[in-house]
Amino acid sequence: MIKKIFIKSVICAGIISSALALTGCGDSKDDMSLVAAKSDSPDIAFLYIGTVGDEGWTYEHNRGRLYLEEKLGKKVDFVENVPENADAERIISQLAQDHDIIFATSFGHMDYILNSSKRFPKVKFLHAAGYKSSTNMGNYFGKNWEASYLTGIAAGSVSKTNKIGYLASFPIPQLVYNINAFTLGARSVNEDIEVNVIWNNSWYDPANERSAAISMADEGMDVLVSYPDSPATIKVAQERGIWGVGNSTSMAHYAPDAYITNPVWNWGVYYEKVVEEIKAGTWEGGSYLGGLKDGMVDLAEFGKNVPEPVKALVNKEKKRIISGEFNIFSGPIKDRDGLERVGSGEKISDEDVLTMNWFVEGVKGSLSN
Amino acid sequence: MEIFSMDIMQLLIIASISAATPLLLATLGGILSERAGIINLGIEGMMLIGAVCAYIVSIYTDSEWLAIIFSLLGGSALGALLAFLCITLRSNQIVAGLGITLFATGLSSYLGKSFGGSQPQTQIPNLDIPWLDNIPFFGEIFSHLNWMVWISFFIAIVLYVAIFKTRWGLHLRALGDGPAAADNAGVNVYRYQYLMTIIGAALCGLAGATLILVYTPSWNDGLTSGRGWIAVALVIFSRWHPINAIFCAILFGLFETLGFKVQLYYADIPPYFLKMMPYLTTIVVLMWVGWRNKNKPNGQPISLGKTYIREQRG
């Protein structure tokens, strides 16, 4: 009996000590990564919400990762389909043990990244589209509203019926400021333009998007914009012989005759820059907001049917934005109830853009929040 | 296409019919297997596999009709699996169906991923019937619908005739209501059940192919976005009747379309409310049908979901 207990306790002790040894290993490995972080070739990993073939958000981040691989000349790891729940934190912790820099590319990963950044102080964390940061966690995003404004100019120039349909995902600031920027752009060339917003409350549902697009085309709208990045909407535009605008990535091949252009992401330039900063030891966390100027946000190539004068006008405005001569949210701007939100000579700060919750004059559709 | 000369009602009907096609095909598939007594909760998964098969085949062959054939094959492979689990192995039909959907969700993502980014060049065209244009209102509606719409209508009518007007259909209905009686009458129960489950699953695969070949020429995980589950409800809503299924599917298509129309005209109604409407309708209709027929059979095959074991007393 005593012997039995003795054997049991020996086994228990064995298990516990080996477990301790294992965690000890983990710790020392962590210290190793501290050393590695200062070396010239950091180990980097990316977390994706979707798959690299989604032709949209994750596809674009993956393009950035591939660019980084090319520039660094070494493999950059990635994990696909990372859910926005506690599982993310488990995955991040695993990656943090043998990587020096971790990029998380979805809004919903924010709190898990923040927690991990406290647990792994030697690792640098970067998070897209969020707003929280710490000493070793930074966030980054781009002013895609600048490209939305330019897209609006092109759309407003080609519309004959003066009615544009905008299929939007969720009533959140990201959608609101893009719709506003697009509308300001369209009305800068044609004051009669009205932008009709339809919410479909989904990031991805092609069948539903197609129904929405058909409804908009039936109402005589001759430019269809889709924020959800499936090609369902611009395909309807192609079928009906009207104009189409996509999102995130160039979509000309889906609708060669109908395609105008749309904002695209170019994360690679930022990824290279931030990795260089971390290597040089000059990176300090905080927020980074890119735009047309540094190339993080850009405009896709124009569709083949967009008239030359329109292209020229858009390119001219693009130069003005890049040079800093023109801010797209400079007053006077009225909201759609006629209230002047931005006075003449004023402009909206980037922080206020990122929390925008009102529509400019010319937007039709519900905004209940 | 003189789309702008039509009035609002006509455009609304056309949009509803277009939105209804994948729902109708999947519902018909569900009706077939349930008529034979097998519950199919794998519809969502079968649609996904049908879609991914259509996607891959149309990339390779540029032929929309080959894509359709392979989506039918992909669906029926899962149907055979469901039949094997439920009929031969006598496992629980609910669990087997859910298992198939979960499995197929993963498998379709895996298969689709390796092709991510490429897009098929083929799309199923509309069928123009010029002489119909001369008939006011309804003629104009039906003169420019997609081929798949007509195929789905045709299948619904064929199924109606087969189930209610032929000896074969009589056997099928008998088997759904009382497999032992059908067995005694000389119907090969297991063969029928296998066949119906597989054909039903093939139709679900076709429903998935419609999404790729008519709606969006690109693949993404979870392309069906829950349409298979709506089809499961529509099977009950249509009371296991193929012609009812046409109208039920179009009603759902109407609600989807109406949701967007109303947003354009009445900005005050929150879009969330509109999104809820189809489901609320289902519940209300089920309550109404149940209340009206509370002392009558509700149309559900009596032995639905019960495993038939030969020579065992019920």
Side-chain angles (χ1 to χ4, degrees), chain A residues 18-36:
Chain A
S18 54
L20 282 175
L22 274 177
T23 49
C25 271
D27 284 343
S28 63
K29 207 172 180 192
D30 226 10
D31 291 340
M32 291 293 284
S33 68
L34 160 74
V35 179

Side-chain angles (χ1 to χ4, degrees), chain A residues 141-184:
Chain A
F141 202 47
K143 298 188 254 189
N144 55 346
W145 59 82
E146 294 178 340
S148 278
Y149 181 86
L150 296 177
T151 310
I153 294 177
S157 308
V158 297
S159 174
K160 296 254 181 344
T161 61
N162 296 341
K163 285 165 84 178
I164 295 177
Y166 200 118
L167 178 62
S169 310
F170 291 94
I172 55 173
Q174 194 184 335
L175 269 297
V176 174
Y177 58 66
N178 274 304
I179 292 166
N180 282 343
F182 178 88
T183 309
L184 289 173

